[in-house]
Amino acid sequence: MMPRLKVLFLSLATLSATAFGQAANQAGPGTLNYIEGQVSIEGRPVTPNSMGNAVLGNGQYLSTSNGKVEVLLTPGVFLRIGNDSTIQMISPNLTHTEVKLERGNANVEADQLYKQNVILIDMEKGQTQLLEDGLYTFNADSSAVNVFKGKANVFPGPNLEADVKPIEVKAGHNLMLTGEPAKPQRFDKDKSQDDLYRWSSLRSEYLGEANIDLAEDYAGVNSFYPGWYWAGGPFGYTWLPGEGLFWSPFGYGFYSPWYLYGGGFIYGRYGHGIYPYRGGHVVAGGFRGGAVRGGVTGGGGFHGGGGGLHGGGGHR
């Protein structure tokens, strides 16, 4: 089969994570990071106790009935599956991560894509390649691809090996897959915020909250590498980038420990804890905006996630 795309390899150093001398837990593409309600792999139920341990392997199916699940793809990229939905893991490789949505709906929060990442979401009538950081939603029942933020190439038609010219879909546009070339249309992003969208926004908020505490714990630690890090509790793995500050498409911040170590600001707001949200600013450590830190407590007892220790793999 002729590949549509040339796939490169990411260095292990940029896509792995280690913690304060503790054994690292691998967290590669396909790891189930959060489980809510009725979820199964190959017909076998998985429960919240499987968070961070259950992994969707090559060719395996994951299904929900009255439930939702968050699946890790490459570091900084989250796949979330809604109620009454089924996906198949086509390829869990780090440089070629491909998932097929068989039924129902799913979305992808991409907080950082490397140029070597090839992330593909298949449906019956076409395939989508994510090109930029952003938020992408998919509905297998209506064959719809929505780009809330970012940019994607959509290859129409059921023959994924065919040499098909992609259709570029930009932010604020969607594409209805009919099996034939079509033109993207604008859509109302506010009216398209369904239950899975709102659930994904909440998950992004939790993960950003956990990121702040872990980023502070690892600030200045020489053994730090970017990737997935275990935050425990209701969070699962969160993402620590290698440098700088990244914003999720929902507006929550993901901070690199080196950004904080270099004196970078934490942008925050308040609810019942700390939320890394765009707006306002407080310095890392000590008091935040005149209030003692709330939310997740830090500490050295976290296990580092092995942010994707899988090899490459080519596009079909």
Side-chain angles (χ1 to χ4, degrees):
M1 293 178 287
M2 295 298 291
R4 288 183 188 153
L5 302 163
K6 182 179 180 181
V7 179
L8 304 177
F9 289 87
L10 291 172
S11 68
L12 183 62
T14 60
L15 289 175
S16 64
T18 53
F20 298 115
Q22 299 176 359
N25 294 324
Q26 292 190 9
T31 300
L32 273 60
N33 198 46
Y34 188 80
I35 300 164
E36 182 178 291
Q38 298 169 316
V39 179
S40 64
I41 295 179
E42 295 289 297
R44 298 185 296 273
V46 291
T47 69
N49 292 332
S50 302
M51 281 172 47
N53 295 314
V55 179
L56 187 62
N58 187 24
Q60 290 188 320
Y61 288 89
L62 180 149
S63 297
T64 65
S65 50
N66 184 21
K68 299 182 181 69
V69 61
E70 178 179 87
V71 181
L72 304 181
L73 297 183
T74 60
V77 181
F78 305 86
L79 170 67
R80 300 185 177 104
I81 314 301
N83 294 323
D84 298 315
S85 301
T86 298
I87 64 167
Q88 182 186 25
M89 176 60 75
I90 303 298
S91 172
N93 294 325
L94 190 61
T95 54
H96 174 194
T97 311
E98 184 174 355
V99 175
K100 184 176 183 181
L101 180 62
E102 295 275 350
R103 68 183 180 96
N105 62 331
N107 64 43
V108 178
E109 173 186 329
D111 298 327
Q112 184 181 30
L113 291 179
Y114 287 86
K115 65 179 181 179
Q116 299 97 329
N117 290 133
V118 175
I119 297 182
L120 304 165
I121 306 298
D122 304 338
M123 292 193 292
E124 181 181 0
K125 296 180 180 180
Q127 180 184 73
T128 301
Q129 182 196 359
L130 312 188
L131 300 179
E132 295 179 353
D133 305 347
L135 178 67
Y136 305 84
T137 72
F138 305 88
N139 190 310
D141 303 326
S142 61
S143 299
V145 178
N146 290 353
V147 180
F148 279 81
K149 183 180 179 181
K151 184 169 67 174
N153 273 342
V154 180
F155 299 85
N159 186 359
L160 301 183
E161 286 75 41
D163 186 14
V164 177
K165 183 178 180 180
I167 301 169
E168 185 178 271
V169 184
K170 297 181 180 179
H173 291 75
N174 70 355
L175 185 68
M176 305 301 294
L177 291 169
T178 63
E180 300 295 334
K183 185 177 180 180
Q185 304 293 325
R186 288 191 175 273
F187 72 99
D188 189 322
K189 291 191 284 186
D190 291 334
K191 292 182 179 180
S192 300
Q193 295 178 12
D194 58 9
D195 177 62
L196 180 60
Y197 178 100
R198 292 185 289 272
W199 187 81
S200 297
S201 177
L202 183 60
R203 283 297 302 159
S204 187
E205 184 174 4
Y206 286 162
L207 294 165
E209 181 180 350
N211 162 272
I212 284 185
D213 288 274
L214 284 177
E216 287 184 334
D217 291 335
Y218 283 89
V221 175
N222 290 330
S223 61
F224 167 75
Y225 289 103
W228 298 120
Y229 280 77
W230 183 249
F235 305 101
Y237 284 99
T238 193
W239 173 56
L240 296 185
E243 60 182 4
L245 162 61
F246 292 82
W247 294 103
S248 84
F250 298 103
Y252 301 101
F254 287 89
Y255 297 80
S256 167
W258 293 113
Y259 171 85
L260 298 185
Y261 184 67
F265 284 103
I266 291 178
Y267 296 80
R269 67 177 176 87
Y270 284 92
H272 58 277
I274 295 302
Y275 298 88
Y277 193 83
R278 221 185 264 271
H281 70 268
V282 286
V283 295
F287 293 91
R288 302 175 191 261
V292 179
R293 181 172 72 177
V296 183
T297 56
F302 296 104
H303 293 84
L309 303 180
H310 299 276
H315 181 44
R316 294 187 294 149

mmCIF file of all heavy atoms in Angstrom, residues 29-61:
data_model
loop_
_atom_site.group_PDB
_atom_site.id
_atom_site.type_symbol
_atom_site.label_atom_id
_atom_site.label_comp_id
_atom_site.label_asym_id
_atom_site.label_seq_id
_atom_site.Cartn_x
_atom_site.Cartn_y
_atom_site.Cartn_z
ATOM 1 N N PRO A 29 0.138 6.025 23.333
ATOM 2 C CA PRO A 29 -1.151 6.145 22.660
ATOM 3 C C PRO A 29 -2.043 4.936 22.933
ATOM 4 O O PRO A 29 -1.610 3.794 22.851
ATOM 5 C CB PRO A 29 -0.751 6.220 21.180
ATOM 6 C CG PRO A 29 0.630 6.803 21.204
ATOM 7 C CD PRO A 29 1.282 6.222 22.415
ATOM 8 N N GLY A 30 -3.279 5.220 23.290
ATOM 9 C CA GLY A 30 -4.232 4.160 23.590
ATOM 10 C C GLY A 30 -4.488 3.965 25.072
ATOM 11 O O GLY A 30 -5.380 3.200 25.443
ATOM 12 N N THR A 31 -3.743 4.656 25.941
ATOM 13 C CA THR A 31 -3.952 4.532 27.381
ATOM 14 C C THR A 31 -5.268 5.199 27.785
ATOM 15 O O THR A 31 -5.526 6.345 27.416
ATOM 16 C CB THR A 31 -2.796 5.184 28.159
ATOM 17 O OG1 THR A 31 -1.569 4.533 27.813
ATOM 18 C CG2 THR A 31 -3.008 5.079 29.662
ATOM 19 N N LEU A 32 -6.095 4.472 28.538
ATOM 20 C CA LEU A 32 -7.356 5.026 29.016
ATOM 21 C C LEU A 32 -7.074 5.892 30.241
ATOM 22 O O LEU A 32 -6.655 5.384 31.287
ATOM 23 C CB LEU A 32 -8.351 3.915 29.364
ATOM 24 C CG LEU A 32 -9.223 3.387 28.211
ATOM 25 C CD1 LEU A 32 -8.366 2.800 27.085
ATOM 26 C CD2 LEU A 32 -10.201 2.345 28.714
ATOM 27 N N ASN A 33 -7.306 7.189 30.096
ATOM 28 C CA ASN A 33 -6.912 8.132 31.141
ATOM 29 C C ASN A 33 -8.035 8.465 32.101
ATOM 30 O O ASN A 33 -7.782 8.841 33.247
ATOM 31 C CB ASN A 33 -6.392 9.424 30.507
ATOM 32 C CG ASN A 33 -5.577 10.252 31.468
ATOM 33 O OD1 ASN A 33 -4.713 9.726 32.162
ATOM 34 N ND2 ASN A 33 -5.829 11.545 31.510
ATOM 35 N N TYR A 34 -9.273 8.374 31.647
ATOM 36 C CA TYR A 34 -10.413 8.652 32.519
ATOM 37 C C TYR A 34 -11.605 7.864 31.998
ATOM 38 O O TYR A 34 -11.872 7.837 30.789
ATOM 39 C CB TYR A 34 -10.733 10.149 32.551
ATOM 40 C CG TYR A 34 -11.773 10.511 33.585
ATOM 41 C CD1 TYR A 34 -11.412 10.639 34.922
ATOM 42 C CD2 TYR A 34 -13.105 10.695 33.229
ATOM 43 C CE1 TYR A 34 -12.367 10.956 35.890
ATOM 44 C CE2 TYR A 34 -14.061 11.013 34.186
ATOM 45 C CZ TYR A 34 -13.687 11.146 35.515
ATOM 46 O OH TYR A 34 -14.631 11.444 36.466
ATOM 47 N N ILE A 35 -12.330 7.236 32.934
ATOM 48 C CA ILE A 35 -13.445 6.363 32.585
ATOM 49 C C ILE A 35 -14.657 6.763 33.408
ATOM 50 O O ILE A 35 -14.570 6.916 34.622
ATOM 51 C CB ILE A 35 -13.091 4.885 32.857
ATOM 52 C CG1 ILE A 35 -11.873 4.456 32.018
ATOM 53 C CG2 ILE A 35 -14.289 3.986 32.577
ATOM 54 C CD1 ILE A 35 -11.242 3.165 32.493
ATOM 55 N N GLU A 36 -15.766 6.940 32.733
ATOM 56 C CA GLU A 36 -17.006 7.330 33.410
ATOM 57 C C GLU A 36 -18.146 6.506 32.837
ATOM 58 O O GLU A 36 -18.386 6.509 31.628
ATOM 59 C CB GLU A 36 -17.257 8.819 33.189
ATOM 60 C CG GLU A 36 -18.484 9.373 33.874
ATOM 61 C CD GLU A 36 -18.629 10.866 33.636
ATOM 62 O OE1 GLU A 36 -17.803 11.637 34.158
ATOM 63 O OE2 GLU A 36 -19.564 11.259 32.907
ATOM 64 N N GLY A 37 -18.857 5.787 33.689
ATOM 65 C CA GLY A 37 -19.992 5.003 33.219
ATOM 66 C C GLY A 37 -19.570 3.679 32.611
ATOM 67 O O GLY A 37 -18.560 3.080 32.994
ATOM 68 N N GLN A 38 -20.334 3.219 31.634
ATOM 69 C CA GLN A 38 -20.174 1.883 31.063
ATOM 70 C C GLN A 38 -19.254 1.936 29.839
ATOM 71 O O GLN A 38 -19.603 2.472 28.793
ATOM 72 C CB GLN A 38 -21.543 1.321 30.680
ATOM 73 C CG GLN A 38 -22.462 1.157 31.891
ATOM 74 C CD GLN A 38 -23.895 0.854 31.516
ATOM 75 O OE1 GLN A 38 -24.446 1.473 30.608
ATOM 76 N NE2 GLN A 38 -24.519 -0.084 32.213
ATOM 77 N N VAL A 39 -18.070 1.351 29.995
ATOM 78 C CA VAL A 39 -17.038 1.351 28.960
ATOM 79 C C VAL A 39 -16.457 -0.049 28.869
ATOM 80 O O VAL A 39 -16.281 -0.729 29.891
ATOM 81 C CB VAL A 39 -15.918 2.367 29.296
ATOM 82 C CG1 VAL A 39 -14.822 2.343 28.231
ATOM 83 C CG2 VAL A 39 -16.484 3.774 29.446
ATOM 84 N N SER A 40 -16.154 -0.513 27.667
ATOM 85 C CA SER A 40 -15.578 -1.850 27.503
ATOM 86 C C SER A 40 -14.528 -1.851 26.399
ATOM 87 O O SER A 40 -14.572 -1.045 25.467
ATOM 88 C CB SER A 40 -16.672 -2.880 27.185
ATOM 89 O OG SER A 40 -17.290 -2.584 25.934
ATOM 90 N N ILE A 41 -13.578 -2.771 26.517
ATOM 91 C CA ILE A 41 -12.591 -3.058 25.476
ATOM 92 C C ILE A 41 -12.807 -4.489 25.026
ATOM 93 O O ILE A 41 -12.756 -5.419 25.845
ATOM 94 C CB ILE A 41 -11.148 -2.875 25.978
ATOM 95 C CG1 ILE A 41 -10.877 -1.403 26.320
ATOM 96 C CG2 ILE A 41 -10.148 -3.349 24.931
ATOM 97 C CD1 ILE A 41 -9.471 -1.157 26.861
ATOM 98 N N GLU A 42 -13.088 -4.676 23.746
ATOM 99 C CA GLU A 42 -13.345 -6.009 23.193
ATOM 100 C C GLU A 42 -14.451 -6.725 23.983
ATOM 101 O O GLU A 42 -14.373 -7.943 24.206
ATOM 102 C CB GLU A 42 -12.068 -6.833 23.192
ATOM 103 C CG GLU A 42 -10.977 -6.297 22.286
ATOM 104 C CD GLU A 42 -11.310 -6.488 20.801
ATOM 105 O OE1 GLU A 42 -11.439 -7.651 20.365
ATOM 106 O OE2 GLU A 42 -11.448 -5.466 20.097
ATOM 107 N N GLY A 43 -15.451 -5.966 24.435
ATOM 108 C CA GLY A 43 -16.573 -6.544 25.151
ATOM 109 C C GLY A 43 -16.338 -6.776 26.631
ATOM 110 O O GLY A 43 -17.260 -7.167 27.353
ATOM 111 N N ARG A 44 -15.123 -6.525 27.114
ATOM 112 C CA ARG A 44 -14.804 -6.714 28.533
ATOM 113 C C ARG A 44 -14.883 -5.368 29.250
ATOM 114 O O ARG A 44 -14.176 -4.422 28.868
ATOM 115 C CB ARG A 44 -13.417 -7.326 28.702
ATOM 116 C CG ARG A 44 -13.279 -8.713 28.088
ATOM 117 C CD ARG A 44 -11.915 -9.297 28.399
ATOM 118 N NE ARG A 44 -10.849 -8.510 27.782
ATOM 119 C CZ ARG A 44 -10.401 -8.690 26.543
ATOM 120 N NH1 ARG A 44 -10.963 -9.622 25.764
ATOM 121 N NH2 ARG A 44 -9.425 -7.952 26.065
ATOM 122 N N PRO A 45 -15.711 -5.267 30.287
ATOM 123 C CA PRO A 45 -15.873 -3.979 30.976
ATOM 124 C C PRO A 45 -14.566 -3.489 31.590
ATOM 125 O O PRO A 45 -13.764 -4.282 32.094
ATOM 126 C CB PRO A 45 -16.906 -4.286 32.068
ATOM 127 C CG PRO A 45 -17.617 -5.518 31.594
ATOM 128 C CD PRO A 45 -16.592 -6.314 30.845
ATOM 129 N N VAL A 46 -14.371 -2.175 31.520
ATOM 130 C CA VAL A 46 -13.275 -1.539 32.239
ATOM 131 C C VAL A 46 -13.888 -0.517 33.180
ATOM 132 O O VAL A 46 -14.921 0.074 32.886
ATOM 133 C CB VAL A 46 -12.261 -0.861 31.284
ATOM 134 C CG1 VAL A 46 -11.492 -1.894 30.494
ATOM 135 C CG2 VAL A 46 -12.952 0.108 30.334
ATOM 136 N N THR A 47 -13.258 -0.324 34.319
ATOM 137 C CA THR A 47 -13.802 0.527 35.367
ATOM 138 C C THR A 47 -12.819 1.653 35.669
ATOM 139 O O THR A 47 -11.675 1.641 35.198
ATOM 140 C CB THR A 47 -14.033 -0.286 36.653
ATOM 141 O OG1 THR A 47 -12.756 -0.667 37.211
ATOM 142 C CG2 THR A 47 -14.860 -1.538 36.360
ATOM 143 N N PRO A 48 -13.245 2.635 36.474
ATOM 144 C CA PRO A 48 -12.311 3.696 36.866
ATOM 145 C C PRO A 48 -11.043 3.185 37.518
ATOM 146 O O PRO A 48 -10.013 3.870 37.504
ATOM 147 C CB PRO A 48 -13.147 4.537 37.839
ATOM 148 C CG PRO A 48 -14.552 4.380 37.338
ATOM 149 C CD PRO A 48 -14.630 2.947 36.896
ATOM 150 N N ASN A 49 -11.080 1.976 38.099
ATOM 151 C CA ASN A 49 -9.863 1.410 38.684
ATOM 152 C C ASN A 49 -8.811 1.091 37.626
ATOM 153 O O ASN A 49 -7.640 0.882 37.960
ATOM 154 C CB ASN A 49 -10.195 0.129 39.458
ATOM 155 C CG ASN A 49 -11.022 0.399 40.705
ATOM 156 O OD1 ASN A 49 -10.926 1.475 41.292
ATOM 157 N ND2 ASN A 49 -11.844 -0.559 41.098
ATOM 158 N N SER A 50 -9.234 1.052 36.364
ATOM 159 C CA SER A 50 -8.304 0.764 35.270
ATOM 160 C C SER A 50 -7.652 2.013 34.705
ATOM 161 O O SER A 50 -6.838 1.925 33.775
ATOM 162 C CB SER A 50 -9.041 0.026 34.143
ATOM 163 O OG SER A 50 -9.618 -1.177 34.604
ATOM 164 N N MET A 51 -7.998 3.184 35.253
ATOM 165 C CA MET A 51 -7.437 4.433 34.738
ATOM 166 C C MET A 51 -5.915 4.405 34.763
ATOM 167 O O MET A 51 -5.300 4.080 35.762
ATOM 168 C CB MET A 51 -7.929 5.617 35.586
ATOM 169 C CG MET A 51 -9.323 6.080 35.291
ATOM 170 S SD MET A 51 -9.915 7.327 36.484
ATOM 171 C CE MET A 51 -8.518 8.455 36.552
ATOM 172 N N GLY A 52 -5.321 4.733 33.615
ATOM 173 C CA GLY A 52 -3.875 4.788 33.518
ATOM 174 C C GLY A 52 -3.218 3.454 33.266
ATOM 175 O O GLY A 52 -2.016 3.404 32.958
ATOM 176 N N ASN A 53 -3.978 2.352 33.394
ATOM 177 C CA ASN A 53 -3.421 1.016 33.194
ATOM 178 C C ASN A 53 -3.976 0.322 31.959
ATOM 179 O O ASN A 53 -3.247 -0.347 31.239
ATOM 180 C CB ASN A 53 -3.688 0.147 34.435
ATOM 181 C CG ASN A 53 -2.965 0.656 35.664
ATOM 182 O OD1 ASN A 53 -1.784 0.986 35.602
ATOM 183 N ND2 ASN A 53 -3.670 0.725 36.790
ATOM 184 N N ALA A 54 -5.287 0.457 31.731
ATOM 185 C CA ALA A 54 -5.894 -0.170 30.556
ATOM 186 C C ALA A 54 -5.411 0.534 29.293
ATOM 187 O O ALA A 54 -5.361 1.763 29.231
ATOM 188 C CB ALA A 54 -7.415 -0.106 30.644
ATOM 189 N N VAL A 55 -5.038 -0.258 28.299
ATOM 190 C CA VAL A 55 -4.504 0.282 27.044
ATOM 191 C C VAL A 55 -5.233 -0.356 25.872
ATOM 192 O O VAL A 55 -5.400 -1.576 25.820
ATOM 193 C CB VAL A 55 -2.990 0.024 26.927
ATOM 194 C CG1 VAL A 55 -2.461 0.578 25.601
ATOM 195 C CG2 VAL A 55 -2.241 0.656 28.094
ATOM 196 N N LEU A 56 -5.669 0.475 24.949
ATOM 197 C CA LEU A 56 -6.320 -0.002 23.732
ATOM 198 C C LEU A 56 -5.242 -0.370 22.732
ATOM 199 O O LEU A 56 -4.514 0.496 22.236
ATOM 200 C CB LEU A 56 -7.231 1.093 23.175
ATOM 201 C CG LEU A 56 -8.134 0.740 22.006
ATOM 202 C CD1 LEU A 56 -9.121 -0.348 22.391
ATOM 203 C CD2 LEU A 56 -8.862 1.984 21.518
ATOM 204 N N GLY A 57 -5.110 -1.660 22.461
ATOM 205 C CA GLY A 57 -4.047 -2.146 21.593
ATOM 206 C C GLY A 57 -4.410 -2.101 20.123
ATOM 207 O O GLY A 57 -5.546 -1.805 19.739
ATOM 208 N N ASN A 58 -3.429 -2.433 19.298
ATOM 209 C CA ASN A 58 -3.587 -2.421 17.851
ATOM 210 C C ASN A 58 -4.750 -3.310 17.423
ATOM 211 O O ASN A 58 -4.786 -4.495 17.737
ATOM 212 C CB ASN A 58 -2.279 -2.887 17.201
ATOM 213 C CG ASN A 58 -2.315 -2.744 15.695
ATOM 214 O OD1 ASN A 58 -3.067 -1.942 15.153
ATOM 215 N ND2 ASN A 58 -1.499 -3.517 15.005
ATOM 216 N N GLY A 59 -5.732 -2.730 16.730
ATOM 217 C CA GLY A 59 -6.871 -3.479 16.218
ATOM 218 C C GLY A 59 -8.006 -3.662 17.201
ATOM 219 O O GLY A 59 -9.071 -4.160 16.815
ATOM 220 N N GLN A 60 -7.833 -3.261 18.449
ATOM 221 C CA GLN A 60 -8.878 -3.487 19.450
ATOM 222 C C GLN A 60 -9.975 -2.428 19.381
ATOM 223 O O GLN A 60 -9.750 -1.296 18.956
ATOM 224 C CB GLN A 60 -8.269 -3.511 20.853
ATOM 225 C CG GLN A 60 -7.425 -4.733 21.131
ATOM 226 C CD GLN A 60 -7.008 -4.812 22.587
ATOM 227 O OE1 GLN A 60 -6.660 -3.812 23.212
ATOM 228 N NE2 GLN A 60 -7.041 -6.009 23.150
ATOM 229 N N TYR A 61 -11.152 -2.847 19.861
ATOM 230 C CA TYR A 61 -12.321 -1.970 19.880
ATOM 231 C C TYR A 61 -12.614 -1.502 21.304
ATOM 232 O O TYR A 61 -12.522 -2.282 22.260
ATOM 233 C CB TYR A 61 -13.553 -2.701 19.339
ATOM 234 C CG TYR A 61 -13.525 -2.938 17.856
ATOM 235 C CD1 TYR A 61 -12.940 -4.089 17.326
ATOM 236 C CD2 TYR A 61 -14.100 -2.020 16.970
ATOM 237 C CE1 TYR A 61 -12.915 -4.316 15.956
ATOM 238 C CE2 TYR A 61 -14.081 -2.240 15.607
ATOM 239 C CZ TYR A 61 -13.489 -3.383 15.102
ATOM 240 O OH TYR A 61 -13.465 -3.603 13.750
#
